[in-house]
Amino acid sequence: MTVVEWADVFTRRAYNELLCESLAYCQKKKNLTVYAWCIMTNHVHLICSAPKLPDVIRDLKKYTSRFIVDSIKNNPAESRKNWLLWMFKSAAGKSASHGEYQFWQLGGHYVELSTNELMEQRLEYLHQNPVKAGFVEDPEHWYYSSARDYAGQKGRLEIVLIE
């Protein structure tokens, strides 16, 4: 899932936490199983499954869009508030299916992980994202990622390890 115009929204802990809380809700209430995840500054990687995965992702995006935008609006410390809201409003104006604001880009890059090789490759790619971006030296040092779980530490979200 990618923020419109690749805006770096997830540089703020509050917005990361809103997304994590929403993922945890989907795990508990919508049968979302998360195997791996990583929140970057402007996009999110997930390896997950659910009986009705497209519906769960749609609901997740709709809910987080509304609440993250509201959080931005109500955050007195948000120095980029006017710019972000302008960008989200501009994106919504290009689509009849959105309300006043559009937070997430339409669609996504969905890949069915049908082989062990593909699964291992995507898992490695997902966890290496913060390293390649230069944010951390080791994947498990990125708090908003399942790399901690795969390194034997307790991560932010409950996950099912891919073995």
Side-chain angles (χ1 to χ4, degrees):
M1 301 183 308
T2 305
V3 179
V4 295
E5 301 297 334
W6 292 83
D8 289 320
V9 172
F10 297 112
T11 57
R12 308 279 194 245
R13 188 170 203 95
Y15 311 143
N16 285 304
E17 287 299 319
L18 278 171
L19 183 55
C20 286
E21 290 165 13
S22 297
L23 284 165
Y25 175 86
C26 289
Q27 288 175 300
K28 289 179 185 142
K29 302 293 185 180
K30 296 184 175 278
N31 296 318
L32 178 69
T33 302
V34 176
Y35 303 99
W37 64 284
C38 183
I39 302 174
M40 294 299 290
T41 61
N42 52 23
H43 66 284
V44 179
H45 294 281
L46 290 171
I47 297 177
C48 59
S49 66
K52 295 181 179 180
L53 186 58
D55 293 344
V56 173
I57 297 298
R58 179 201 63 220
D59 292 349
L60 175 69
K61 287 172 85 172
K62 184 176 180 181
Y63 180 84
T64 55
S65 179
R66 185 175 63 232
F67 281 95
I68 292 172
V69 168
D70 284 347
S71 184
I72 290 168
K73 282 181 183 177
N74 297 315
N75 184 349
E78 179 55 75
S79 60
R80 308 160 304 156
K81 183 185 306 191
N82 292 335
W83 173 72
L84 288 169
L85 294 175
W86 171 81
M87 192 169 351
F88 301 150
K89 188 176 266 196
S90 296
K94 300 173 188 171
S95 170
S97 64
H98 287 85
E100 186 177 3
Y101 299 102
Q102 179 182 343
F103 181 79
W104 297 108
Q105 287 184 15
L106 296 176
H109 183 68
Y110 305 107
V111 177
E112 182 178 348
L113 303 179
S114 55
T115 67
N116 287 342
E117 182 182 4
L118 192 55
M119 180 78 74
E120 289 173 15
Q121 184 260 344
R122 291 299 174 150
L123 186 62
E124 177 76 9
Y125 173 81
L126 180 152
H127 287 150
Q128 287 296 321
N129 235 229
V131 175
K132 288 183 178 172
F135 296 135
V136 291
E137 289 187 24
D138 297 307
E140 62 270 18
H141 295 155
W142 192 248
Y143 182 69
Y144 290 105
S145 167
S146 56
R148 291 170 166 257
D149 298 281
Y150 283 89
Q153 302 169 26
K154 176 71 177 116
R156 172 65 181 80
L157 293 174
E158 295 295 324
I159 68 159
V160 174
L161 292 172
I162 299 169
E163 309 235 7

